[in-house]
Amino acid sequence: MEKRVRFRSTWLPWVLVAPQLAVVLTFFFWPAGQALIQSVLQQDAFGTTTEYVGLENFKRLWNDSTYLESFKVTALFSLLVAVIGLSVSLLLAVMADRVIKGAGIYKTLLIWPYAVAPVVAGVLWLFMFATPFGTVSFVLNRMGFEWNHLLNSNHAMALIVMAAVWKQISYNFLFFLAGLQSIPKSLIEAAAIDGAGFWLRFRTIVFPLLSPTTFFLLVINIVYAFFDTFAIVDAATQGGPGKSTAILVYKVYYDGFKALDMGGSAAQSVVLMTIVIALTVVQFRYVEKKVQY
């Protein structure tokens, strides 16, 4: 029987949720509302005059080839971060779940990257791949592979993808490991007794039971790739070379704070917010049907 908590006072529940409501209103709804208002205004570079322009800021976006190109860059970046991040995290979680001796140390080391700030993660990977004296780039050059993310757009994309995946691996790892440990061992043992090998057990039993966790992490990783990777891109490549790594969230910052186009930047943030909401709705509407609870 389900047990429900009932409050005799009508105001006590509101008092209990008031701190969280204040945080959501202050840091989510208020900025979103400000962006919606700013997106229909045009302000001069010095901020002295403001003019209502309606949808003119949005019309200029669709005529901007660099902005349209940033959609392709963001789509590629988000796909790589989500797929690689989830795959590597699942592999590490499966390996950690099978470790017996020293399991605590192994799991602790895999959790550490989550404590690193995104900008620090970007700088760390930049130092390792800095041309020509970075540790990894030096080894690659000695092996005959000329690494230069300052000139090669593919190298720059690879750099920010690796940094973003490394930063998010710990988060994914924790959820996958918890999901693996919640699977009844009796199911695995019964399949092993029937002669099913490791990969057959994983494909037919383990992974289907992990589908709720995988679905949740898919949503989180896509949102992370769209919003929380700004600091990594800014620290590692600053959108370069050219605009080859200028994802949507970085372009919002660049156009607003460097190009001083506040109206266009606000319009971009509204478009970005709409895209993320739409992707989340699509995932819950269609992808969740494949999830086995």
Side-chain angles (χ1 to χ4, degrees), residues 122 125-127 129-134 137 141 145-160 233-245:
W125 283 83
L126 176 62
F127 282 171
F129 284 87
T131 306
F133 301 115
S137 64
N141 290 330
F145 184 84
E146 296 184 3
W147 173 275
N148 193 337
H149 66 275
L150 298 177
L151 299 177
N152 191 307
S153 59
N154 293 329
H155 294 176
M157 177 61 71
L159 175 61
I160 61 173
V233 176
D234 187 48
T237 64
Q238 295 184 344
K243 298 293 182 181
S244 60
T245 57

Side-chain angles (χ1 to χ4, degrees), residues 61 79 276:
L61 290 181
L79 180 64
V276 173

Side-chain angles (χ1 to χ4, degrees), residues 84-266:
I84 297 176
L86 292 178
S87 301
V88 174
S89 301
L90 179 58
L91 175 62
L92 293 174
V94 171
M95 294 172 61
D97 192 44
R98 302 182 69 186
V99 171
I100 299 177
K101 294 184 179 179
I105 298 175
Y106 182 67
K107 296 172 184 176
T108 301
L109 292 175
L110 286 172
I111 295 173
W112 275 2
Y114 191 63
V116 178
V119 63
V120 176
V123 171
L124 286 174
W125 283 83
L126 176 62
F127 282 171
M128 288 192 295
F129 284 87
T131 306
F133 301 115
T135 306
V136 179
S137 64
F138 178 78
V139 173
L140 291 175
N141 290 330
R142 291 295 297 269
M143 295 173 59
F145 184 84
E146 296 184 3
W147 173 275
N148 193 337
H149 66 275
L150 298 177
L151 299 177
N152 191 307
S153 59
N154 293 329
H155 294 176
M157 177 61 71
L159 175 61
I160 61 173
V161 167
M162 287 187 291
V165 168
W166 178 81
K167 175 68 180 69
Q168 190 70 359
I169 271 183
S170 299
Y171 185 89
N172 300 335
F173 168 78
L174 285 174
F175 279 91
F176 274 132
L177 183 61
L180 288 170
Q181 293 178 345
S182 67
I183 296 176
K185 300 300 180 183
S186 58
L187 294 177
I188 308 298
E189 294 171 355
I193 292 174
D194 289 339
F198 171 78
W199 289 111
L200 182 60
R201 297 197 303 269
F202 180 82
R203 182 172 57 84
T204 58
I205 299 176
V206 176
F207 191 71
L209 292 177
L210 280 178
S211 56
T213 303
T214 306
F215 172 71
F216 166 76
L217 290 176
L218 176 63
V219 175
I220 293 297
N221 277 258
I222 290 179
V223 175
Y224 162 76
F226 268 84
F227 282 108
D228 296 339
T229 53
F230 160 76
I232 292 176
V233 176
D234 187 48
T237 64
Q238 295 184 344
K243 298 293 182 181
S244 60
T245 57
I247 60 177
L248 289 171
V249 68
Y250 182 80
K251 201 170 187 312
V252 170
Y253 157 78
Y254 184 89
D255 288 354
F257 293 96
K258 290 191 175 182
L260 300 180
D261 181 11
M262 300 303 296
S265 176

Side-chain angles (χ1 to χ4, degrees), residues 266-282:
Q268 291 181 41
S269 66
V270 171
V271 172
L272 179 60
M273 178 175 60
T274 304
I275 291 173
V276 173
I277 292 175
L279 285 174
T280 305
V281 170
V282 168

